[in-house]
Amino acid sequence: MEIRIRKALLVWILAWAAILLPGCGLADRVLELKTEVSQNKEETSRASAVEKKRKNKKIENEIVKNTEEEKQDTKPTETEEANDTDRVNDIFAEGEDLYADYYVYQTLDDETKQVYHEVLTAILGQQEEVELSTTDVDVLEEAYKAVCADNGGLFWTSGYVYTQYTRGKELIGMDFTPKYTMDYEARVQTQQQIDASVQELLAGISTTNSDYEKAKYVFEILVQNVDYDASAENNQNIISTFLNRATVCQGYACATQYLLRLLGIQSVIVTGNANGESHAWNLARLDNNYYFMDTTWGNSRYLDSSSQMEKYVNYNYLAVTSDEIGRTHLPDDTFPLPDCTSTDNNYFIRENRYFAQWDPGAVGAVLREAWDAGAESVAVKFSTPQIYGEALNYFIKEQHIAEYCEGISSIYYLEDKELYVLTFRFSHG
């Protein structure tokens, strides 16, 4: 019997239509330079300069998500603000344990670490303006980007303004003013809604599960419950992911980092490009080894026999190495990344679907098990393009798949030539 075989058209759900933000957001924002020059020769102290700052030379470097958005005036009460900021400051004063599991923070020098702390504390407390320990705008930018990469849950902030103060020609201080998208009350209400959604999504996993089980669960639950939609509101933060259940790559990456941290997994948001387009994905530490995850690319679709789009979980980019992710992804140079070489927690290794040598019987056994179980699909990975080519020829072109899947009459297959993965989509009807 001849099997009807069709190569499916795989549609990668990429972020080409999205404007990418690194972390809680920065890259797409309009850079607006404002300069106000005034003279006051009698000022001789920092206190005087701060008091009369609008009469000093004022430089504002404003980075905004949307120049038409207006800044909200509502802010937390002094008591609420103290509850958020004092707790952080008290822990930070005792050492670096507060940020011991924050990947990007640990890559910073001491000066930038201090500014990181000041920036994050201000955002958490929803403060309007804080004086920084640095006057270096590059240090501030590096610290802010690091905060965004380490913290995917900062949905209420959208960039910042910095103001530098001078006395004569001497730079004597700099203030940091976060840009907020909502007031404190709205933030609290939104957080409560997010918490309820997250509780629902994480109902099937526990902190006692293995690191691999946690990563796989987060990967699956986001792909299965959140659609890719470039037109989704708030698609650069976790509001779109958890409340609207529709987002783009930035929303997926922020949500992945957010959920993994709740489960005790260190994760960070990585930005750059994939196949030449702006993109965001994650770095995660599983059992003390680092891996890359791309949840967006886990949300894949293909055209079925009726030319309808079918969605499925694509595991090709669940816990991959630097070499593997590097074939399609290019990170920016915002912060250094580790050389990820471990394969212990790769999906195909853990699920016994990886083949380092050509063994048609072993591959066939995986196909048979999936077919007999009524699975809709099964993916297998090979160590080299040569073995990958042999499998494609043997099971598809020569149709030996019929020897392992009794009664099969048609099949779709999907190719991933970069990672040497063959995905078989079964039709049991």
Side-chain angles (χ1 to χ4, degrees):
M1 177 185 68
E2 183 176 354
I3 302 173
R4 182 167 59 90
I5 296 177
R6 180 175 176 181
K7 181 179 179 180
L9 174 61
L10 178 63
V11 181
W12 289 104
I13 307 301
L14 296 180
W16 61 270
I19 300 176
L20 179 64
L21 303 177
C24 51
L26 190 61
D28 70 318
R29 304 202 173 123
V30 179
L31 187 64
E32 189 174 306
L33 182 65
K34 299 179 180 178
T35 304
E36 179 181 322
V37 180
S38 61
Q39 298 293 328
N40 192 332
K41 298 180 180 179
E42 297 179 356
E43 292 180 344
T44 59
S45 67
R46 164 64 180 160
S48 177
V50 172
E51 179 182 358
K52 299 180 180 181
K53 58 188 177 183
R54 293 193 180 278
K55 295 182 180 180
N56 288 332
K57 180 180 178 182
K58 181 179 180 182
I59 302 175
E60 288 187 348
N61 184 9
E62 185 171 358
I63 307 169
V64 296
K65 182 177 182 181
N66 187 327
T67 54
E68 296 180 356
E69 290 182 352
E70 295 184 355
K71 181 178 179 181
Q72 299 291 334
D73 293 329
T74 306
K75 62 180 180 180
T77 65
E78 292 182 1
T79 300
E80 291 169 329
E81 184 176 302
N83 288 339
D84 281 327
T85 61
D86 289 351
R87 185 187 320 112
V88 175
N89 284 324
D90 289 344
I91 299 175
F92 187 70
E94 298 174 0
E96 296 186 358
D97 288 345
L98 176 64
Y99 303 118
D101 207 36
Y102 286 51
Y103 174 83
V104 186
Y105 174 86
Q106 296 299 330
T107 70
L108 306 175
D109 60 34
D110 290 341
E111 179 186 14
T112 312
K113 283 181 178 179
Q114 177 63 37
V115 178
Y116 177 112
H117 170 67
E118 293 163 356
V119 166
L120 181 56
T121 302
I123 292 172
L124 292 176
Q126 204 144 348
Q127 299 176 44
E128 294 299 331
E129 185 177 75
V130 295
E131 182 179 350
L132 298 177
S133 59
T134 186
T135 58
D136 190 328
V137 295
D138 292 332
V139 170
L140 171 58
E141 181 179 1
E142 183 180 5
Y144 182 80
K145 288 181 177 180
V147 166
C148 293
D150 276 336
N151 300 273
L154 305 180
F155 59 84
W156 62 93
T157 187
S158 177
Y160 64 89
V161 173
Y162 73 77
T163 306
Q164 291 179 308
Y165 304 106
T166 61
R167 184 172 59 242
K169 295 183 178 181
E170 180 185 3
L171 185 60
I172 59 174
M174 183 165 66
D175 286 347
F176 168 74
T177 304
K179 301 291 290 185
Y180 299 116
T181 59
M182 62 184 69
D183 61 33
Y184 188 80
E185 182 180 357
R187 166 190 162 187
V188 171
Q189 294 175 346
T190 302
Q191 185 66 65
Q192 291 173 345
Q193 295 172 342
I194 289 173
D195 291 344
S197 177
V198 167
Q199 183 177 9
E200 176 188 344
L201 291 174
L202 294 184
I205 194 70
S206 167
T207 55
T208 61
N209 284 87
S210 70
D211 285 0
Y212 169 74
E213 290 170 333
K214 295 173 186 176
K216 180 171 179 270
Y217 182 89
V218 168
F219 192 86
E220 291 176 333
I221 206 70
L222 288 175
V223 170
Q224 293 166 349
N225 289 274
V226 182
D227 290 329
Y228 185 95
D229 185 354
S231 66
E233 294 183 4
N234 293 298
N235 62 23
Q236 300 298 300
N237 62 56
I238 61 173
I239 293 177
S240 60
T241 313
F242 295 132
L243 301 189
N244 304 333
R245 301 293 173 91
T247 192
V248 295
C249 64
Q250 187 69 29
Y252 277 117
C254 287
T256 299
Q257 190 277 333
Y258 189 83
L259 294 181
L260 288 177
R261 174 171 290 174
L262 289 176
L263 293 173
I265 300 293
Q266 184 196 72
S267 177
V268 66
I269 299 159
V270 181
T271 59
N273 65 74
N275 288 339
E277 304 292 344
S278 295
H279 196 50
W281 60 100
N282 296 93
L283 174 74
R285 187 176 66 191
L286 310 177
D287 296 322
N288 295 318
N289 288 314
Y290 284 103
Y291 303 84
F292 289 103
M293 295 172 55
D294 190 338
T295 310
T296 307
W297 279 24
N299 184 358
S300 296
R301 298 177 184 271
Y302 74 100
L303 293 176
D304 65 12
S305 58
S306 302
S307 295
Q308 300 297 312
M309 296 295 290
E310 292 289 337
K311 176 179 177 179
Y312 78 104
V313 180
N314 187 327
Y315 295 98
N316 296 12
Y317 286 86
L318 173 54
V320 298
T321 66
S322 295
D323 172 69
E324 291 171 323
I325 199 80
R327 298 172 195 174
T328 49
H329 295 53
L330 179 65
D332 56 34
D333 58 356
T334 304
F335 53 86
L337 292 169
D339 185 15
C340 304
T341 59
S342 176
T343 60
D344 293 347
N345 280 307
N346 175 264
Y347 168 81
F348 295 96
I349 297 291
R350 291 297 298 260
E351 303 295 332
N352 297 315
R353 295 177 181 179
Y354 177 79
F355 300 92
Q357 58 185 9
W358 176 230
D359 186 346
V363 177
V366 171
L367 300 180
R368 178 188 292 116
E369 181 180 4
W371 172 260
D372 290 346
E376 294 182 356
S377 67
V378 62
V380 288
K381 182 174 182 176
F382 305 94
S383 60
T384 68
Q386 291 75 25
I387 302 175
Y388 168 85
E390 287 192 70
L392 178 64
N393 183 68
Y394 183 81
F395 287 102
I396 300 299
K397 296 180 180 179
E398 297 180 4
Q399 300 189 5
H400 287 288
I401 190 172
E403 299 172 13
Y404 302 93
C405 303
E406 184 177 355
I408 190 171
S409 59
S410 63
I411 186 174
Y412 280 76
Y413 70 98
L414 307 170
E415 294 188 59
D416 186 338
K417 297 179 180 179
E418 284 82 14
L419 296 185
Y420 320 137
V421 176
L422 274 179
T423 301
F424 299 84
R425 298 286 297 177
F426 299 129
S427 176
H428 294 274

